[in-house]
Amino acid sequence: MNPHDELGRYIDAHHPEQVEFLRQIVRVPSDTPPGNNAPAAEKAAALLTALDFKVERHPVPVDFLRGYGMQSVTNLIVRHRFGPGGPTVALNAHGDVVPPGEGWTKPPYEGVIENGRMYGRGVAVSKSDIATYAYALAALRALAQRDAGLRGAVELHFTYDEELGGLAGPGFLLANKLTEPDFAIAASFSYAVVTAHNGCLQFEVTVRGKSGHGAMPQTGRDAFRAGAAILDAIYAEADALAAKKSRVNGIDHPTMIVGLIEGGINTNVVPDRLTLRLDRRMIPEEDPVTVEAGVRALIENAVRGRDGIRVEIRRLLLARALQPSPGQKRLVDPIRRHGRRVFGEDIPAVGVPLYADARLYGEHGIPIVMYGAGPRTIAESNAKRPDENLLLEDLRRATHVVASAVHDVLSG
């Protein structure tokens, strides 16, 4: 029998177990914030152990997490060696999620199944791919008992801080040389293989003035007025960014928004402080150093010459873009080939405007693409919105594709 057909038979036979595996993961909340995610990792470790995998636990030191803004993170690694030589392929998915928020019609932490879909926070982003990758490796392991043609190793990297930037997840594993794979696949959706993504800079800007009585505003130095000038400058620049186009298919242009504003003392007091947080997305062609210098200059120039006003700018996040690389071809070709076979349609290779943990592997020189279970678009799954859901048929088919593509990489 064709090895890809054998992998598919194993996956199909174990699909009900895979669905229950996913449901059990969904039932353990892992909201970030607050980021108390060790319990979710322990649940995943128990389920992986039940699949006869040896699970390594790599807790992140509390001192690091305290400054990072999380409470507990335990990263998991499963390593399975096939034949001697060959590459090591890492499969990375994150088990942390954004808080559910309001507006759900199904319980966010039950894994309710209706009409072939599972509903729950994280079923699409990206607890689904913990299940995808675990059962893809299980299928490869079962095949290897009868077929000695595979050379190399597969590692499962299940991490728990993607929503906060990945530095306590893949960043921690890679920086501490706990893993050094030759290739990697990271969680995504099954109707495209992602070869590039945007970068991101986030800043906190504090405008400081001087308070004064509301009946005598001239006695104060209004931080809100200065802040309004900064906002005008930011949004004028945001509109201008639309003309700066990326050459990467699927990525349009850079963006910039202000996502949070707070400040002031009371209704009848001249505000002495305004704090805003802004998000600047960078296309792969942009240099983060140049972009950061430009954002800082934009803000400082907007309030230059205003008496009694000073501005503090603090960088919160630098996430570099994932760049397309020639080494990705070793992954892209088999994913697209088997995607066409399993889904009956072409699987495009594209970039996406969000940023993800994949960039951290790319920064270490590891060819990585994003591929996993899910719909054509984030919007279709309600990812990070109420009633997030996953078509379970997409989970089954994506597992076919991942297992077969990794098989081809390991068989040379």
Side-chain angles (χ1 to χ4, degrees):
M1 179 182 290
N2 181 299
H4 305 123
D5 292 339
E6 284 198 56
L7 291 168
R9 286 180 61 185
Y10 179 95
I11 292 163
D12 291 348
H14 291 83
H15 183 59
E17 299 168 25
Q18 184 185 30
V19 170
E20 185 58 27
F21 180 102
L22 175 57
R23 193 207 305 264
Q24 293 301 318
I25 291 174
V26 169
R27 285 180 170 175
V28 181
S30 50
D31 298 356
T32 304
N36 180 24
N37 294 340
E42 284 301 320
K43 182 63 173 181
L47 292 168
L48 291 165
T49 300
L51 286 173
D52 293 326
F53 289 124
K54 181 179 179 181
V55 182
E56 300 174 14
R57 294 167 172 81
H58 296 283
V60 179
V62 173
D63 288 347
F64 178 92
L65 294 176
R66 188 178 297 115
Y68 191 54
M70 297 187 73
Q71 297 176 8
S72 69
V73 173
T74 301
N75 297 306
L76 308 178
I77 297 180
V78 170
R79 307 178 203 262
H80 186 83
R81 164 62 60 180
F82 293 94
T88 295
V89 180
L91 305 176
N92 168 242
H94 68 92
D96 60 312
V97 300
V98 297
E102 299 180 353
W104 288 73
T105 64
K106 313 280 192 304
Y109 292 117
E110 286 297 322
V112 171
I113 297 175
E114 289 184 4
N115 300 319
R117 293 181 180 271
M118 183 182 292
Y119 291 81
R121 177 53 87 225
V123 293
V125 182
S126 74
K127 292 185 176 184
S128 55
D129 283 329
I130 295 178
T132 303
Y133 299 157
Y135 277 81
L137 178 54
L140 287 163
R141 182 182 59 185
L143 174 67
Q145 293 175 354
R146 300 183 300 280
D147 179 353
L150 300 183
R151 299 286 184 269
V154 173
E155 294 182 357
L156 305 179
H157 297 175
F158 297 148
T159 55
Y160 287 86
D161 80 318
E162 196 270 351
E163 302 296 350
L164 212 58
L167 296 182
F172 177 81
L173 297 178
L174 292 163
N176 288 282
K177 298 190 181 302
L178 295 166
T179 178
E180 296 181 279
D182 299 293
F183 300 94
I185 300 173
S188 188
F189 295 141
S190 58
Y191 289 83
V193 52
V194 173
T195 58
H197 67 58
N198 275 353
C200 181
L201 275 163
Q202 293 180 350
F203 300 95
E204 182 178 82
V205 180
T206 302
V207 184
R208 299 194 184 277
K210 178 184 176 182
S211 62
H213 198 291
M216 298 175 289
Q218 69 278 9
T219 65
R221 296 294 182 266
D222 195 326
F224 283 12
R225 281 199 173 204
I230 292 173
L231 288 170
D232 285 343
I234 287 172
Y235 283 113
E237 174 68 10
D239 291 342
L241 289 175
K244 190 171 188 175
K245 300 295 185 180
S246 174
R247 297 185 297 274
V248 178
N249 180 32
I251 295 178
D252 190 1
H253 59 78
T255 62
M256 184 160 55
I257 67 163
V258 174
L260 180 69
I261 298 177
E262 58 181 17
I265 298 172
N266 202 0
T267 309
N268 59 350
V269 180
V270 175
D272 64 347
R273 182 185 63 83
L274 172 71
T275 299
L276 61 87
R277 290 190 172 190
L278 69 91
D279 179 297
R280 169 63 159 86
R281 300 297 169 108
M282 300 175 288
I283 58 177
E285 293 87 347
E286 290 187 295
D287 172 32
V289 174
T290 302
V291 171
E292 178 166 355
V295 171
R296 289 179 178 273
L298 178 77
I299 293 167
E300 291 164 354
N301 290 337
V303 295
R304 194 177 304 281
R306 290 178 178 265
D307 180 48
I309 296 293
R310 58 189 177 89
V311 176
E312 302 163 3
I313 305 171
R314 180 168 68 96
R315 186 215 289 169
L316 301 176
L317 172 71
L318 167 56
R320 291 178 175 82
L322 174 64
Q323 305 283 347
S325 70
Q328 292 173 324
K329 181 176 173 61
R330 185 87 175 267
L331 300 168
V332 170
D333 287 354
I335 290 174
R336 294 191 69 191
R337 180 168 61 251
H338 292 293
R340 189 180 303 112
R341 175 178 63 86
V342 173
F343 283 82
E345 59 184 85
D346 285 337
I347 303 300
V350 298
V352 292
L354 47 78
Y355 71 93
D357 283 354
R359 76 189 192 280
L360 296 165
Y361 292 87
E363 288 174 15
H364 282 75
I366 300 163
I368 183 169
V369 300
M370 300 172 64
Y371 182 84
R376 285 177 173 79
T377 67
I378 291 175
E380 288 181 31
S381 67
N382 282 341
K384 300 190 177 182
R385 299 189 298 181
D387 289 345
E388 180 178 348
N389 65 86
L390 173 72
L391 184 65
L392 294 173
E393 177 65 4
D394 281 348
L395 173 65
R396 185 188 68 82
R397 293 192 293 181
T399 308
H400 277 246
V401 175
V402 171
S404 289
V406 172
H407 171 277
D408 289 2
V409 174
L410 297 183
S411 64

